[in-house]
Amino acid sequence: MIDIKQDEKLSVINHSCAHMMAQAVKRLYPQTKFWVGPVVSEGFYYDMDLGDAVIRDEDLEKIEKEMKKIAKDGKRIVREELSKADALALFHDDPYKLDLIEGLEDGEITVYRQGEFVDLCRGPHVESVKQLKHFKLLKHSGAYWKGDANNRVLQRVYGICFESKEALEEHLYALEEAKKRDHKKLGKEMELFMMSEYAPGMPFLLPNGMIIRNILEQFWYEEHTKEHYQFIKTPIMMSRELWEVSGHWDNYKENMYTSEVDDREFAIKPMNCPGSMLVYKNGLHSYKDLPIRMGELGQVHRHEASGALNGLFRVRTFTQDDAHIFMRPDQIESEVVGVIRLIDRIYSIFGLQYDIELSTRPKEKYIGSIEIWDRSEKALADACKAAGKDYKINEGDGAFYGPKLDIHIKDSLGRVWQCGTIQLDMNLPERFDLTYVDHDGKKVRPVMLHRVVFGSVERFIGILIEHYAGKFPLWLAPQQVAVVPVHWEKHIDYANEVQNLLSAAGFRSKLDARNEKLGYRIREAQIRKVPLQVVVGDGECENRSVTLRRLGSKDSLNMPLDEFMELLQREVEEKR
């Protein structure tokens, strides 16, 4: 799905449509006062104070009807420049606009007028409201004024607008499809994970979800072993002194969970990096030892605001698939190329396309010399080219301690997720006094690379649930096969033989011999999103065969049992 903020033309259309919505609301609720109506990735919204009135679901259609009248009327949208005094006079009865105007300087104040409606705004806007015919109001909610819980709750209405009816319909279809794929809904239906008020924002993985997690982690270890990574496990809680050295105590403490043990302050780790620094410092290193690729599936805890929590996507504890690579300066390009190729290989297994964004030196707050930054940015850019990958520049968005490559994956609905990251770090090697002995016998600083592929294992599972709509490929599915005998008395012995053979070979299979009709049991296996249903009846028993039906298909295929076993083994090994 499209990101409205990334499209300049759609951003203007949606901001103009926010004004048109506000005009419609003002007509229907004349007492309304308005705060702000920005463009967001999903379209637009407007925060409004309707006094004692409350917008409900059924009111959105009423507002849309008024918006259509406004668009049909076709008034021009006119820009006007005002002095601060004139602006204060114009909005004298709207405390929210007066608050905004107080922060503006003379010569910077503009309003946009369409018919009887005028709104404080920098713009730009479309020329006429008749360009805003293809819109939809999506939802409404409450929002504190200025995001402060001590302030009044305003009513927020969300919407979206496109240039054509076809584009709007295509987007609305994608939204409906996204609702069906909601990982929270499917996670409950498929018994993958649960949440509890006893641990807000901390997911409980259920047996089916744990199967997926274990397979993903095994896959992660196998792929990283091929690339000669070493694996470590560092403590989940470490002392305040460590976090002071790393800088987290001064810059991140409000997001950390702390405790006191034996009169010392400790913190549960929000990041794995400091532990890896200690592991590196545990021994002496020569230039011949580098690169050292150190991987850790480390559980971290971060205090997120309760209102931001969202299933597996935004949590307070998760497993980061971290790795830290310690290397010489001359190894930067080759190591980054290696990470890109590893990411490429892993994402391709899941059918995930991706784009790369190179974030460069911030304009103000950064450490290290400009020369080092230029060299580091060039190394990342050259690595992308050497790996045969295009990239976009995200000017000035690097961390203060180094440039980075952000990997944005695209799922089956076209939605973009930021998962992988490759980050050069000039900060922690200095803070922790990391060294290696170069060929001249001198101690020098290694270059350090942070990188993740999944990002958060839990979040990646959530993305995969929605990417596959719960229909996991055979190698990942919690239950791979449902064995369904036609009749209990006649076919149960052979069905048990098939089930035992599957279990002995390591396949996740279940026998469904309940006293229910065959069609009912097959449908139920499909509802549970089991990839393969195996039916055994008279012919299968006589010929030692199975009739195979795949999830989502009405066709069936009969094949010898031994061929079926070979087919399963091949599909799992090839991760189709």
Side-chain angles (χ1 to χ4, degrees), residues 315-331:
V315 293
R316 287 175 172 167
T317 182
F318 57 92
T319 301
Q320 190 115 24
D321 70 316
D322 266 319
H324 298 94
I325 302 176
F326 304 93
M327 56 196 169
R328 305 188 307 266
D330 63 291
Q331 296 172 322

Side-chain angles (χ1 to χ4, degrees), residues 7 12 19 37 39 116 120 163 171 207 230 252 315 336 371-372 428 430 446 496 510 523 535 541 555:
D7 187 306
V12 173
H19 280 225
V39 174
E116 82 285 0
L120 183 73
E163 290 185 87
H171 182 79
Q230 306 171 35
Y252 203 73
V315 293
V336 174
E371 180 189 357
I372 291 175
L428 287 183
E430 186 73 31
N496 271 319
K510 290 183 181 178
R523 280 195 304 275
V535 178
C541 293
D555 298 328

Side-chain angles (χ1 to χ4, degrees), residues 29 54-64 140:
Y29 307 89
V54 176
I55 289 177
R56 295 180 171 84
D57 290 350
E58 57 269 24
D59 296 320
L60 295 184
E61 188 175 343
K62 184 170 64 174
I63 298 169
E64 284 182 342
H140 62 93

Side-chain angles (χ1 to χ4, degrees), residues 272-442:
N272 295 308
C273 328
S276 295
M277 304 301 106
L278 296 183
V279 172
Y280 181 89
K281 281 180 70 78
N282 188 52
L284 297 174
H285 304 284
S286 160
Y287 70 97
K288 296 178 182 178
D289 301 326
L290 303 183
I292 294 173
R293 305 179 187 118
M294 196 181 291
E296 178 179 18
L297 287 169
Q299 186 176 5
V300 299
H301 289 71
R302 300 175 185 177
H303 184 261
E304 298 281 357
S306 58
L309 301 177
N310 178 17
L312 297 178
F313 290 161
R314 197 71 176 266
V315 293
R316 287 175 172 167
T317 182
F318 57 92
T319 301
Q320 190 115 24
D321 70 316
D322 266 319
H324 298 94
I325 302 176
F326 304 93
M327 56 196 169
R328 305 188 307 266
D330 63 291
Q331 296 172 322
I332 294 175
E333 183 178 327
S334 61
E335 285 304 300
V336 174
V337 168
V339 174
I340 292 173
R341 287 180 175 159
L342 174 63
I343 286 173
D344 190 75
R345 191 165 74 238
I346 289 177
Y347 286 172
S348 67
I349 291 292
F350 303 101
L352 294 168
Q353 298 178 327
Y354 65 91
D355 295 314
I356 301 177
E357 191 172 70
L358 169 56
S359 296
T360 59
R361 174 174 52 84
K363 288 182 170 56
E364 296 178 3
K365 189 179 179 183
Y366 61 90
I367 64 168
S369 69
I370 292 179
E371 180 189 357
I372 291 175
W373 272 89
D374 289 345
R375 195 164 68 236
S376 299
E377 290 169 7
K378 184 177 185 301
L380 292 180
D382 289 346
C384 290
K385 293 172 186 172
K389 301 295 179 183
D390 294 327
Y391 63 91
K392 294 178 182 176
I393 296 287
N394 188 8
E395 193 71 41
D397 202 47
F400 75 94
Y401 51 82
K404 62 177 178 173
L405 296 176
D406 284 327
I407 317 295
H408 300 276
I409 64 172
K410 187 178 288 187
D411 69 11
S412 56
L413 287 183
R415 296 174 299 180
V416 176
W417 310 84
Q418 202 272 301
C419 288
T421 299
I422 305 171
Q423 171 82 62
L424 277 169
D425 188 347
M426 310 174 207
N427 181 40
L428 287 183
E430 186 73 31
R431 279 180 170 271
F432 281 88
D433 191 27
L434 302 187
T435 62
Y436 67 92
V437 179
D438 70 6
H439 62 278
D440 292 328
K442 297 177 182 176

